[in-house]
Amino acid sequence: DDERESFNALFLNEARAAGGLSHPHIVTVFDAGISDERAYIAMELLKGRDLRQLRQEGWRATPAQAALIIRRVADALAFAHSKGVIHRDIKPANIFMVGRTQPRVLDFGIARVAHRQDSGDPHSGAGSPYYMAPEQVRREPTDRRADVFSLGVVLYELLTDTKPFHGESLKQITDAVVHH
């Protein structure tokens, strides 16, 4: 029961965070709630695949496509940030592609409304470890810069077709992207 309540709260948080965001590159959430003790969410039907799936199927973005995708996701995140929402789990699986250049940001499940987030937030370290900003890994308070860091990792992967090692510094990653 405790786990279900926790899951339902996280799920409804996703719906509230995404539901208040109307942007062409953020999935539209129509409704969410609890029915018979189960959480539900109704969102726009998207046709396509997420970046993770596309990459697994062998699709590789050209540098121009990568730049366009990242710019559009950055625009979506800037809009969310302007509304006080930090995504905190940007990764290829949460960037759904309708076509090859029309991204939709998904899964605001661990997003926190920025003005409510404090250093005692038990979810401050939540996210996908590979893409997390250093402050998230250290369970320190996060802000919009965590999303920017994660989006930079996604850009690196799109441009180089490799994942950086966890030990590499942001400067090493930036240098590698510039040289590609």
Side-chain angles (χ1 to χ4, degrees), residues 14 44-45 66 75 81 85 99 107 129-130 135 155:
E14 172 179 349
E44 72 179 298
L45 177 63
D75 287 345
H81 297 159
V85 177
D107 193 7
Y130 185 81
E135 60 270 24
L155 175 61

Side-chain angles (χ1 to χ4, degrees), residues 7 48-49 89 113 119 125-126 150 155-156 160 171 175-176:
F7 173 81
R49 298 209 176 354
D89 195 22
V113 177
S119 61
S150 298
L155 175 61
Y156 177 89
T160 66
K171 180 174 179 352
D175 289 346

Side-chain angles (χ1 to χ4, degrees), residues 68-158:
L68 183 60
I69 291 165
I70 296 301
R71 189 193 81 206
R72 289 178 171 168
V73 172
D75 287 345
L77 291 172
F79 178 78
H81 297 159
S82 77
K83 302 296 184 188
V85 177
I86 301 166
H87 190 284
R88 298 171 50 171
D89 195 22
I90 294 298
K91 59 185 178 183
N94 286 337
I95 301 171
F96 194 90
M97 299 301 297
V98 179
R100 295 293 189 246
T101 60
Q102 295 298 320
R104 300 287 191 286
V105 179
L106 307 174
D107 193 7
F108 281 80
I110 63 165
R112 294 288 174 261
V113 177
H115 68 274
R116 293 185 192 168
Q117 200 267 323
D118 65 338
S119 61
D121 183 351
H123 298 288
S124 63
S128 299
Y130 185 81
Y131 299 92
M132 287 174 25
E135 60 270 24
Q136 274 181 283
V137 173
R138 293 188 301 262
R139 296 187 163 278
E140 297 172 357
T142 57
D143 60 26
R144 65 186 181 272
R145 293 174 292 184
D147 287 347
V148 173
F149 180 92
S150 298
L151 189 57
V153 175
V154 174
L155 175 61
Y156 177 89
E157 287 185 32
L158 288 175

Side-chain angles (χ1 to χ4, degrees), residues 53-71:
Q53 292 168 320
L54 286 171
R55 289 180 39 75
Q56 287 174 342
E57 293 169 2
W59 177 76
R60 300 298 176 249
T62 66
Q65 285 173 318
L68 183 60
I69 291 165
I70 296 301
R71 189 193 81 206

